[in-house]
Amino acid sequence: MNAYVPARLDGASLVHLWRRHPWWLASLGAHAVLVASLVTAGPVRVAVKRDDGVRVQVAQSLARTAQRQMGRELRAMEAIRDALAQSAGDVVGEGGDGAGKPQATDPAARAQALARQIDAVREKTRAMEMARLLNIPEAEARRRVRMEAARRPGATPPTHLQPEAQVAQLLQQAKDALAQRRAELLAQRHGVPLTPPVEGPHGAKGDKSGARTANTGGVGPGNGKTGGQGARNGRTGGGGVHDSASLGSTVDALATGLAMGPPGAITDSSIDMSSTSFSDTRRFGAYVKPPPVDAASVRGGRGRTIGAGGPYANRIFLDTWYVIGPFEGAGYDSQNTIYPPERGVDLDAVYFGKNDLPVRWTFQQDAHYPSVPLPRAENAVYYAWTEVTVDRDMDLWVWIGGDDDTKLWFNDRLVWLSGASLDKPWYRQAFHTLDGMDTLNLTEGQRKLHFKQGRNSILLKLYNGIDLMFYSVVLSR
């Protein structure tokens, strides 16, 4: 028996193999070259091309978001202008530079025109205030105001900034003007507190009756001149056609809507996380139970239509949303960190989210209560947007809850900010095992809001620290 001798692939053998199978060897070599090119250059080029495409989409989305934000800011400036004009007794929307002219299409130019209109109204209100306090004719007061303005260095329009920054800066100046006018009207309405005089051996020095601490905006004794020129022209001061309370109502309402006054129930604090590694260990305050609900009377439903065409129910779980996320969280400060959806909802937008992965708005209709955004991530931020349709104007209670923290805007107005330090029931027990599931009542608090006939928008922000998460929005009468 001959011993087995393994074949050797030497030069002569390769020549013999090439002569017998030339096409097979050529095909094998071509495939080897193709595989090598894909391993080296191919995937890198494809990845770069795909990444460039996403970057273009994100850039376009951010540009559209900026346009939406500037549109909201311009509408806020218009509202401030109209409120200031109303407080001066003018017809809303009239007066000022550019009134009655075609509006500029460029947002920055439009903001500058509105700023000039606001300055013109402020000049008038400053003159009214000076006339009231100094008891001089309003024409003289306006002359003095203009002289003071001429002596002051003029404010340079922020034309060197990008349009988005220009509009934001001019809006802030408009808010400052609104806050100043509000302070003036409050002083007229409630009086300016004066430093109490030093008491001598015979009582208060210089003013025994204390009359000088009275409301400077009201009608004084005798001839009613305490209100100054404003009282005589019927615009400010007591006894006029428009008193400071009526003139300031729009200013007050607008300042509250713009979150310029004391925010009250929506106030929350942020906690600085100094640790380099993320943790969500909280110092809990009071234990918060959901508001009571009579389980026997609950007639639950789901949807986002109230009235004709909606569910026959007295508690309605909003189960249909567009959701985007996760975005990279900022720990406890996530509530105060502004992500693109807060600047304007664009359902076609693409942004970079957590781990620099692209995130898009996705339609989500929840089969079970409550709502849980997907995909789940820790130290992450999500946004959910929906519209509620009502068949007529009505006031509804909005019941809000979330794990961990939530923030809610109703028709672009911030109405809810959850307490980050509260001890919630679902921190002690998994939310899906709680009794509130049966009554749609995983709730931290309520807001009674006015829904206008037609569509009303709701934008909810959810921050999840660790472990389970959900959000709940329920409507009731």
Side-chain angles (χ1 to χ4, degrees):
M1 179 178 294
N2 295 331
Y4 172 73
V5 179
R8 292 179 298 173
L9 200 62
D10 53 16
S13 300
L14 288 174
V15 171
H16 178 71
L17 187 62
W18 171 255
R19 288 176 177 175
R20 294 189 59 185
H21 306 286
W23 295 108
W24 182 82
L25 285 177
S27 176
L28 183 63
H31 280 81
V33 172
L34 178 62
V35 169
S37 63
L38 289 175
V39 169
T40 56
V44 173
R45 292 175 182 172
V46 170
V48 169
K49 185 178 295 184
R50 183 171 60 246
D51 185 64
D52 287 345
V54 172
R55 290 183 183 279
V56 169
Q57 293 180 45
V58 171
Q60 292 173 345
S61 299
L62 291 173
R64 291 196 304 269
T65 301
Q67 289 293 326
R68 282 175 165 80
Q69 182 179 18
M70 286 190 289
R72 287 205 317 272
E73 291 172 339
L74 289 173
R75 290 192 293 273
M77 290 186 69
E78 290 173 350
I80 291 173
R81 176 203 62 192
D82 294 345
L84 292 174
Q86 187 264 356
S87 75
D90 286 347
V91 177
V92 174
E94 291 187 354
D97 181 26
K101 298 179 182 178
Q103 297 183 357
T105 56
D106 176 59
R110 176 62 184 148
Q112 291 167 12
L114 287 168
R116 290 192 293 269
Q117 295 172 22
I118 290 171
D119 286 343
V121 178
R122 283 297 296 137
E123 179 182 301
K124 181 174 183 178
T125 57
R126 283 197 295 269
M128 291 169 56
E129 184 70 4
M130 181 182 293
R132 184 184 68 83
L133 294 175
L134 301 181
N135 197 15
I136 60 177
E138 189 171 313
E140 171 62 17
R142 297 198 74 164
R143 187 187 67 81
R144 295 188 186 186
V145 167
R146 287 170 180 166
M147 289 179 59
E148 291 176 358
R151 288 194 294 266
R152 289 195 303 267
T156 304
T159 53
H160 62 288
L161 302 175
Q162 293 295 322
E164 185 178 359
Q166 290 186 46
V167 176
Q169 182 172 324
L170 292 171
L171 173 60
Q172 185 57 52
Q173 294 176 11
K175 287 183 175 181
D176 293 342
L178 183 68
Q180 183 178 354
R181 182 59 177 156
R182 186 188 191 201
E184 293 171 359
L185 293 170
L186 288 174
Q188 293 178 32
R189 192 182 312 166
H190 303 299
V192 181
L194 304 178
T195 304
V198 180
E199 291 191 1
H202 301 291
K205 182 183 294 184
D207 185 10
K208 298 180 181 179
S209 64
R212 293 183 184 174
T213 62
N215 189 331
T216 57
V219 178
N223 58 17
K225 292 183 179 179
T226 308
Q229 177 67 21
R232 291 195 291 274
N233 64 26
R235 285 178 174 163
T236 58
V241 177
H242 302 290
D243 61 16
S244 62
S246 63
L247 291 177
S249 59
T250 304
V251 172
D252 274 342
L254 182 58
T256 302
L258 293 174
M260 292 170 56
I266 64 171
T267 301
D268 198 0
S269 60
S270 60
I271 302 174
D272 180 25
M273 295 184 65
S274 57
S275 174
T276 55
S277 60
F278 173 73
S279 66
D280 197 26
T281 304
R282 302 186 174 212
R283 295 181 178 179
F284 294 121
Y287 179 71
V288 176
K289 293 184 179 180
V293 171
D294 182 7
S297 64
V298 169
R299 188 170 59 248
R302 61 182 64 236
R304 52 195 180 103
T305 301
I306 310 298
Y312 183 71
N314 58 11
R315 286 182 68 80
I316 299 177
F317 160 52
L318 296 185
D319 66 340
T320 305
W321 302 82
Y322 282 92
V323 180
I324 190 170
F327 293 93
E328 189 69 52
Y332 294 149
D333 207 36
S334 297
Q335 290 283 65
N336 298 324
T337 302
I338 298 176
Y339 298 84
E342 288 184 40
R343 303 171 62 200
V345 174
D346 177 5
L347 297 181
D348 296 323
V350 183
Y351 305 112
F352 285 119
K354 196 173 180 68
N355 299 322
D356 287 333
L357 295 176
V359 293
R360 297 172 171 84
W361 291 96
T362 59
F363 179 79
Q364 179 174 322
Q365 191 165 41
D366 304 300
H368 305 285
Y369 174 80
S371 301
V372 179
L374 297 174
R376 190 182 73 82
E378 296 187 340
N379 189 27
V381 171
Y382 300 80
Y383 289 86
W385 180 88
T386 192
E387 286 183 331
V388 177
T389 303
V390 297
D391 60 354
R392 63 185 185 278
D393 285 12
M394 63 179 67
D395 293 339
L396 294 172
W397 282 103
V398 181
W399 305 58
I400 309 163
D403 185 348
D404 291 306
D405 305 323
T406 52
K407 203 170 185 177
L408 189 140
W409 293 262
F410 174 72
N411 288 335
D412 292 331
R413 176 188 174 192
L414 179 63
V415 297
W416 165 263
L417 182 61
S418 67
S421 61
L422 297 177
D423 185 5
K424 308 174 187 180
W426 38 87
Y427 289 166
R428 304 185 179 195
Q429 182 179 341
F431 70 85
H432 51 79
T433 65
L434 293 171
D435 295 337
M437 296 284 290
D438 298 331
T439 55
L440 308 176
N441 195 29
L442 299 180
T443 305
E444 299 170 48
Q446 305 158 276
R447 293 289 181 271
K448 192 171 188 178
L449 303 174
H450 181 72
F451 286 71
K452 65 180 186 295
Q453 182 180 4
R455 296 179 178 180
N456 300 265
S457 66
I458 293 179
L459 175 66
L460 180 138
K461 178 180 183 179
L462 173 70
Y463 161 68
N464 179 51
I466 59 174
D467 206 10
L468 300 178
M469 64 177 180
F470 76 87
Y471 63 92
S472 168
V473 181
V474 174
L475 307 181
S476 72
R477 293 299 296 268

